[in-house]
Amino acid sequence: MPEVAELDNAPVPAAIEGSAAAAILLMLLDESEAATILKQLGPEEVRQLAKAMFDTANASEQQIGQALDRFVTRSRDVSALAIGADTRIRTVINEAVGNVRADNILAAVAPQRSAASLEMLRWMDVDAISGLLASEHPQVGALILSVLVPDVAARAIETLDEVLQADLVLRAAMLTSVPAAAIEDLEAVLASANVDGQRVAKQAIGGPSDVAKIMKKMPKQLSERTLRSLKKHDRILAQTIEEEMFIFENLRDLDKKSLSSVLRSVDAAQLAIALKGADEEMVDMCLATMSQRAAETIRDEMAEMTMVKRADVDDAQKSVMQIVRQMAAAGEIMIAGGGDDYV
């Protein structure tokens, strides 16, 4: 029976996962319903889904079924109370105690939501953002810098004057939370409407960690120059940023030869403590660069440890990363920045 043979040999459609499944579900919805969902997402998520929608435009019935099955399975874990909970809670509290008291209560207990202006920044063209950074007060610029996606922030700051670059990075690194008044200033700059008439609570943004992510996306020469400028203003803060730019988890980014060179320079007892705070995959990856005997020694030391203080693990991991930075500075290993190209 040739028909049966042809069916048996027909290619089996690939399993639908992740953004592909989401794209199929969006395409099954009414256009306005799909648009409402996309409005809740960030620019990068929208770009990924848009691409996935084109890629899955010719999805088979089996793949559509898989996407629907995934949705139904995941939906079982979502509480009915969670759907529209934010709006319902705010409405109930407003009716119970009035708008003013409700604002004060919700500002203290409700999950923080980004201001509309901060969300709008994520969609702006890089050149337009650079223009804002160059023309507005540096404190407003620091706020802008801190809420951007790191690679966008790195590109936006790249064309600015060297002095302004250092000033913006310094101010952004010193941010911990932002009062409503500062966000209102930013909203005025962007000529945007207020956030549904609601007060904006302080939002935890910026700081050394966020700035480190931005600087990792800069070309290496630019990031090094900016760090040197920062050290003239605040050496401790600059050191903190430098430490955050390449943390223990980033050992995964090193090639096997570089990782082996680093670990040979680390004291075995110190490495055992550092790896005590890592997942099994990281442990296996590091020990795979060593001789069998050395790897067994490290595993034995880790096994003999009972409880290790988190602070001790952090200190050991920082010591390892100090060796990484020293070796990179000496040209013994290569740490590529986000803007570096290699052939």
Side-chain angles (χ1 to χ4, degrees):
M1 299 178 65
E3 292 85 356
V4 174
E6 288 177 5
L7 288 173
D8 289 340
N9 295 327
V12 178
I16 288 293
E17 297 181 356
S19 58
I24 289 175
L25 292 172
L26 284 172
M27 294 176 71
L28 292 174
L29 296 175
D30 177 84
E31 290 178 3
S32 60
E33 294 173 332
T36 299
I37 293 173
L38 289 174
K39 287 178 182 178
Q40 311 303 315
L41 305 179
E44 184 57 35
E45 293 170 317
V46 173
R47 281 191 285 269
Q48 290 178 5
L49 280 174
K51 181 179 184 303
M53 290 169 78
F54 280 110
D55 293 342
T56 57
N58 296 318
S60 67
E61 289 188 14
Q62 181 180 345
Q63 290 172 321
I64 294 173
Q66 290 174 358
L68 290 170
D69 287 342
R70 280 175 60 88
F71 174 73
V72 171
T73 301
R74 297 290 182 89
S75 297
R76 291 196 183 103
D77 297 329
V78 178
S79 168
L81 293 176
I83 302 174
D86 186 276
T87 301
R88 295 202 311 277
I89 293 169
R90 290 177 185 277
T91 299
V92 169
I93 301 298
N94 279 332
E95 291 183 0
V97 300
N99 292 343
V100 175
R101 291 180 180 176
D103 279 352
N104 290 333
I105 293 171
L106 293 172
V109 302
Q112 301 303 312
R113 300 186 296 182
S114 295
S117 57
L118 306 190
E119 280 299 311
M120 191 182 82
L121 279 168
R122 299 179 188 275
W123 294 86
M124 288 179 65
D125 179 79
V126 173
D127 291 338
I129 296 172
S130 292
L132 279 177
L133 294 176
S135 61
E136 296 302 327
H137 188 281
Q139 195 60 27
V140 174
L143 175 56
I144 292 173
L145 199 65
S146 297
V147 299
L148 294 172
V149 176
D151 60 341
V152 173
R155 284 186 285 137
I157 200 174
E158 188 172 349
T159 59
L160 301 180
D161 173 79
E162 182 178 345
V163 175
L164 180 57
Q165 287 173 347
D167 189 23
L168 288 174
V169 168
L170 176 65
R171 289 172 182 268
M174 295 176 69
L175 285 174
T176 53
S177 62
V178 181
I183 295 179
E184 289 172 1
D185 289 342
L186 178 55
E187 289 175 341
V189 168
L190 299 173
S192 61
N194 61 13
V195 188
D196 298 328
Q198 298 177 8
R199 298 176 181 178
V200 183
K202 289 186 176 182
Q203 303 186 40
I205 61 175
S209 183
D210 282 354
V211 168
K213 293 175 183 175
I214 294 171
M215 293 184 66
K216 281 179 67 175
K217 296 291 184 179
M218 293 179 181
K220 185 177 180 180
Q221 185 177 10
L222 175 58
S223 66
E224 289 178 347
R225 188 180 71 195
T226 305
L227 272 173
R228 286 196 298 271
S229 296
L230 278 177
K231 288 177 181 177
K232 296 177 182 178
H233 295 279
D234 192 325
R235 178 169 291 277
I236 294 177
L237 180 59
Q239 182 179 341
T240 302
I241 294 172
E242 195 170 16
E243 290 175 354
E244 291 283 349
M245 286 177 67
F246 200 81
I247 59 176
F248 194 76
E249 183 67 21
N250 295 133
L251 287 178
R252 301 177 191 272
D253 301 332
L254 294 177
D255 60 78
K256 188 173 182 179
K257 182 178 179 181
S258 295
L259 180 59
S260 177
S261 298
V262 169
L263 298 183
R264 284 199 303 271
S265 303
V266 180
D267 177 75
Q270 190 175 58
L271 180 58
I273 297 174
L275 289 175
K276 191 72 174 178
D279 58 44
E280 193 61 33
E281 182 182 354
M282 171 73 88
V283 173
D284 291 342
M285 182 192 71
C286 290
L287 298 187
T289 67
M290 303 178 179
S291 66
Q292 182 177 351
R293 182 177 178 180
E296 288 176 354
T297 299
I298 297 295
R299 287 195 185 277
D300 289 342
E301 290 199 31
M302 292 175 64
E304 290 174 3
M305 295 179 191
T306 52
M307 300 293 288
V308 181
K309 292 181 180 179
R310 180 73 251 181
D312 292 339
V313 172
D314 290 343
D315 287 343
Q317 291 184 350
K318 287 180 180 179
S319 296
V320 174
M321 301 319 297
Q322 180 65 27
I323 292 173
V324 170
R325 286 190 290 274
Q326 289 172 352
M327 295 180 70
E332 298 173 32
I333 62 173
M334 182 65 69
I335 302 175
D340 296 325
D341 293 320
Y342 297 94
V343 294

